[in-house]
Amino acid sequence: IADLPMEVDDDMLKQVFSEYGTVTWSRVLDSGGKPNKAAIVEFADIEEAKWCVENLDGNIPQGLSTPVKVMFKRSNDGGKGYGGGGKFGSSNNPFVYGKASIGGGGSNAFSPY
């Protein structure tokens, strides 16, 4: 999730996105001096996550006052964008749902970033 207002914290993030599905994990990321924040939100069901990407991207979620960018998290395997981590990631799926595995496909260690 990108372009979140600066006042959004972890609790507010979970409250806002719980309106759209079961949030299993979420975290607001440090703004790094930018005028807005970003976050990661994981849903219990891939269909809930798809709905948010398809319907909230570029729109204003309930509880916020500005439009946000919503997209699936991409893997960190050299920029190819192919999944290797997360419950719903696969080598032929360009989007990864869930936590990306460290170092690409085979590791059992997970990172929330």
Side-chain angles (χ1 to χ4, degrees), residues 25-57:
W25 185 87
S26 61
R27 169 110 3 111
V28 175
L29 306 174
D30 181 38
S31 69
K34 295 178 184 174
N36 49 42
K37 292 184 177 181
I40 298 173
V41 176
E42 292 181 7
F43 291 92
D45 185 312
I46 187 66
E47 294 305 318
E48 294 170 343
K50 283 181 183 178
W51 189 94
C52 284
V53 170
E54 293 168 359
N55 294 282
L56 294 181
D57 185 38

Side-chain angles (χ1 to χ4, degrees), residues 11-30:
D11 291 333
M12 184 177 183
L13 178 73
K14 187 169 184 174
Q15 179 182 357
V16 167
F17 286 91
S18 290
E19 295 292 321
Y20 302 102
T22 304
V23 175
T24 58
W25 185 87
S26 61
R27 169 110 3 111
V28 175
L29 306 174
D30 181 38

Side-chain angles (χ1 to χ4, degrees), residues 90-112:
S90 67
S91 62
N92 61 0
N93 182 353
F95 300 105
V96 177
Y97 172 78
K99 299 176 184 174
S101 61
I102 296 173
S107 175
N108 286 331
F110 290 97
S111 169

Side-chain angles (χ1 to χ4, degrees), residues 4-10 12-13 28 35 37 63-66:
L4 290 166
M6 291 300 288
E7 66 268 13
V8 173
D9 61 15
D10 287 330
M12 184 177 183
L13 178 73
V28 175
K37 292 184 177 181
L64 297 181
S65 58
T66 58

